[in-house]
Amino acid sequence: MAVRVDIDSHSGFCGGVIRAITRAENSLADGVELYSLGAIVHNESELARLQGMGLLTISHLSEADPSHPVLIRAHGEPPSTYREAEERGIRLMDCTCPVVLKLQKSIRTAFESGSKIVIFGKPGHAEVLGLVGQTEGKAVVVKDMEMLEEALSDGRVNVTVRTEVFSQTTKSPSGYAEVGARLKSVFPEGLLTVHDTICSQVASRHEQLLEFARSHSAIVFVSGRESSNGKVLCELCTSVNPRTWHVSSTEELASLPLRDGDNVGVCGATSTPKWLLVKVANMLLSTKF
């Protein structure tokens, strides 16, 4: 069976991830022993490539040798991480995405002004932990409408006090719009501000990806299983093309129920490297289904 394959030209690393990985690659090429505090990107194949270059991933600063720098990934970190690094005498290579850094500052300013903070994001996600840290852990995090309704019901989101709402940069624009509309319907005028904080690169990807998914008979979406952005974008593809399959490596391709003559679109998350998209496309072209 033969299939045709197109790679989505808009898929691949976002600017923040490119910046972090480039700085890591340059340091490793110079012979610097470098730690990454958490996975530098949520993609197993790219992590394996960087580990092969010598990047060491740690989960806590206590695992680092103070004589070697520790990279802060694009997701960012809470203030407590910077304080601990200073206490331990650890030099940080701060690769926080500029978009995330701006969001952190906006949340800190709003919190210090006395506003209550609501964050639309995935609880426990690295970026969200950094955002919540700007509020001394006091922000309310909701990942969907169900969590929002619970927070309204139990009073964690109090409609009688000044509240400012922010979104994790990689969340769904439509999901955030729904959350914002619901809050606007219950807050008195003047007590609520909903900030536009989804990354513009991520937001524009949604319309582009919808068109890409509609224009192919099948979609192979490539991303790491732990990628929050990957889950959102894959679900977006599925919403307009039910013949969408999520894979994280080329090993999963042979079992896909593709058909002779399929026009297959290969796309991915902001954490998916271009080289992996090309590898998947080439494998699809050489595999008999």
Side-chain angles (χ1 to χ4, degrees), residues 134-150:
Q134 311 304 316
T135 70
E136 301 173 3
K138 296 179 181 178
V140 177
V141 179
V142 296
K143 70 175 181 179
D144 52 28
M145 290 298 291
E146 182 179 355
M147 284 189 70
L148 175 61
E149 294 298 342
E150 290 174 359

Side-chain angles (χ1 to χ4, degrees), residues 194-237:
V194 179
H195 297 271
D196 180 10
T197 59
I198 292 178
C199 172
S200 59
Q201 187 176 354
V202 171
S204 63
R205 281 282 291 118
H206 282 240
E207 282 305 316
Q208 293 162 348
L209 197 58
L210 283 170
E211 180 58 32
F212 184 78
R214 289 190 190 102
S215 63
H216 292 80
S217 61
I219 292 293
V220 175
F221 189 92
V222 188
S223 78
R225 296 297 178 185
E226 298 304 313
S227 170
S228 177
N229 174 249
K231 292 174 183 176
V232 169
L233 294 183
C234 187
E235 289 172 1
L236 191 69
C237 289

Side-chain angles (χ1 to χ4, degrees), residues 38-203:
I40 190 172
V41 64
H42 289 149
N43 184 276
E44 296 83 357
S45 299
E46 180 66 2
L47 283 177
R49 186 185 73 86
L50 291 169
Q51 287 165 0
M53 294 180 66
L55 183 65
L56 303 172
T57 301
I58 58 175
S59 57
H60 194 275
L61 288 176
S62 62
E63 302 170 44
D65 180 338
S67 64
H68 302 297
V70 174
L71 182 147
I72 300 297
R73 54 196 172 163
H75 300 93
E77 284 288 326
S80 58
T81 296
Y82 295 88
R83 291 194 294 267
E84 183 180 353
E86 186 174 2
E87 292 167 0
R88 292 181 179 274
I90 294 174
R91 180 166 61 90
L92 297 177
M93 180 187 292
D94 196 344
C95 294
T96 303
C97 170
V99 176
V100 174
L101 192 60
K102 180 181 178 182
L103 174 55
Q104 289 181 346
K105 291 179 179 178
S106 296
I107 289 176
R108 184 163 61 249
T109 298
F111 175 71
E112 291 174 350
S113 75
S115 293
K116 299 298 182 182
I117 306 299
V118 175
I119 297 172
F120 176 56
K122 180 181 177 182
H125 186 278
E127 181 189 324
V128 174
L129 293 176
L131 301 180
V132 172
Q134 311 304 316
T135 70
E136 301 173 3
K138 296 179 181 178
V140 177
V141 179
V142 296
K143 70 175 181 179
D144 52 28
M145 290 298 291
E146 182 179 355
M147 284 189 70
L148 175 61
E149 294 298 342
E150 290 174 359
L152 285 168
S153 177
D154 63 25
R156 284 179 295 128
V157 175
N158 186 342
V159 300
T160 67
V161 299
R162 181 158 53 92
T163 299
E164 297 191 45
V165 189
F166 301 84
S167 175
Q168 176 184 339
T169 60
T170 56
K171 288 288 282 182
S172 162
S174 60
Y176 188 37
E178 189 176 9
V179 165
R182 172 60 177 143
L183 289 171
K184 289 174 183 177
S185 74
V186 294
F187 269 82
E189 186 175 351
L191 284 185
L192 180 74
T193 302
V194 179
H195 297 271
D196 180 10
T197 59
I198 292 178
C199 172
S200 59
Q201 187 176 354
V202 171

Side-chain angles (χ1 to χ4, degrees), residues 6-17:
D6 295 318
I7 298 176
D8 175 30
S9 61
H10 299 287
S11 288
F13 290 153
C14 64
V17 172

